[in-house]
Amino acid sequence: LANAGITAEEANRNARAALARVTGPDQWNQVEPGIWVSTYADDYDFARLVALAADARLPFEAVPIVYAPSHSTCVTTDRVDKETLNRVVAVGNELSNDQRQLSQLLWTRNPAGDWQEFRPMDDTPAAAVVAMQRLAETNSQYDEQKFYLEAVLEDREEDSFVASFMIYEDDAGPFTVCAYTFDIPSYLPETDRVAIVDPRASDNGGSGMMSWQDFAAAVGPETLVRMPDEDPPRFKLMAALSPEQKSALRTPAAPISRD
């Protein structure tokens, strides 16, 4: 921008004006009751809404909920019931399957016209949908982080394990898990629970599950070190564990179901 003699404010104003000029009245196509999809699919679908803010065209007058899983897919609704929001997500995921990914979050527009993350009250039916989408967004970020971190480790010929961020569900709802194997140098995402694997133990006692808090307390902050430049958070556990640390991990870990 400096080389072109344009300020950031001028560039932003020009970009907004350009999107406004190429955005016509037939921006939305209703695909299901209460659900509309942007018709452009030109890599600027959600950018139109953000850039034009309060002037962005929508197919209804109510407060919008928007899902933009890719740069070329934008789905909106004026309903906040769980069934409709689940369909919004399903439609968006199907349309964006082979496109450049953007976000798994749901968005809304505040009275000032600015776009922000949709955060319903916890006791509303929509909250469960939103919570699952936040987990999906974190999972996407960790997948990208893992990809680049593994490339870095390969370049420097470091034989360490980059653990995945995994999402499961039980009767209490969804939860996240990563796996740690004794004495394997590892880079761990921060999760709700940690699956502990002891390859030298018997089949019945070789694995267990514990909370992240218990895991971190058992190994200690000098062994489990947060990486300063990684977001979302990732931790290094490079050293072989002492017998005391291994015992502290085995004792509280609940056996993992084989079902």
Side-chain angles (χ1 to χ4, degrees), residues 25-40:
D26 299 324
Q27 183 178 354
W28 301 99
N29 178 41
Q30 186 169 10
V31 295
E32 294 183 16
I35 299 177
W36 290 262
V37 173
S38 174
T39 59
Y40 285 95

Side-chain angles (χ1 to χ4, degrees), residues 93-104:
N93 288 344
E94 182 178 354
L95 291 174
S96 64
N97 185 50
D98 59 351
Q99 298 174 351
R100 188 163 61 102
Q101 296 302 298
L102 179 59
S103 173
Q104 296 293 306

Side-chain angles (χ1 to χ4, degrees), residues 150-170:
E150 286 178 333
V152 170
L153 299 184
E154 183 177 358
D155 285 344
R156 67 190 189 201
E157 299 182 348
E158 179 181 332
D159 186 17
S160 297
F161 175 64
V162 182
S164 296
F165 180 91
M166 299 174 285
I167 303 173
Y168 294 93
E169 191 166 5
D170 59 17

Side-chain angles (χ1 to χ4, degrees), residues 39-100:
T39 59
Y40 285 95
D42 62 359
D43 229 28
Y44 293 95
D45 293 65
F46 190 45
R48 283 180 169 83
L49 300 185
V50 175
L52 301 179
D55 296 325
R57 298 183 179 95
L58 289 161
F60 45 77
E61 296 296 328
V63 176
I65 308 298
V66 169
Y67 183 51
S70 82
H71 293 262
S72 295
T73 295
C74 192
V75 187
T76 189
T77 184
D78 57 353
R79 304 178 183 178
V80 293
D81 60 280
K82 183 177 180 179
E83 291 75 17
T84 299
L85 292 181
N86 275 326
R87 284 302 302 154
V88 165
V89 170
V91 169
N93 288 344
E94 182 178 354
L95 291 174
S96 64
N97 185 50
D98 59 351
Q99 298 174 351
R100 188 163 61 102

Side-chain angles (χ1 to χ4, degrees), residues 127-140:
V129 181
V130 171
M132 185 58 73
Q133 291 309 116
R134 288 199 195 109
L135 283 178
E137 174 70 3
T138 304
N139 183 59
S140 178

Side-chain angles (χ1 to χ4, degrees), residues 135-234:
L135 283 178
E137 174 70 3
T138 304
N139 183 59
S140 178
Q141 293 172 350
Y142 269 122
D143 280 348
E144 183 176 19
Q145 182 191 75
K146 175 180 167 69
F147 174 82
Y148 287 110
L149 183 53
E150 286 178 333
V152 170
L153 299 184
E154 183 177 358
D155 285 344
R156 67 190 189 201
E157 299 182 348
E158 179 181 332
D159 186 17
S160 297
F161 175 64
V162 182
S164 296
F165 180 91
M166 299 174 285
I167 303 173
Y168 294 93
E169 191 166 5
D170 59 17
D171 293 340
F175 61 94
T176 59
V177 179
C178 68
Y180 170 68
T181 301
F182 282 174
D183 299 336
I184 299 296
S186 300
Y187 293 87
L188 304 176
E190 186 173 14
T191 53
D192 298 321
R193 308 178 194 176
V194 181
I196 309 298
V197 180
D198 182 358
R200 296 188 178 183
S202 65
D203 290 341
N204 291 331
S207 61
M209 190 88 72
M210 63 195 311
S211 71
W212 177 271
Q213 290 79 8
D214 288 343
F215 174 76
V219 298
E222 294 183 355
T223 303
L224 185 68
V225 180
R226 179 166 179 170
M227 302 173 70
D229 299 324
E230 295 297 330
D231 184 27
R234 192 172 284 271

Side-chain angles (χ1 to χ4, degrees), residues 1-8 10:
L1 293 179
N3 291 338
I6 301 174
T7 67
E10 289 171 331

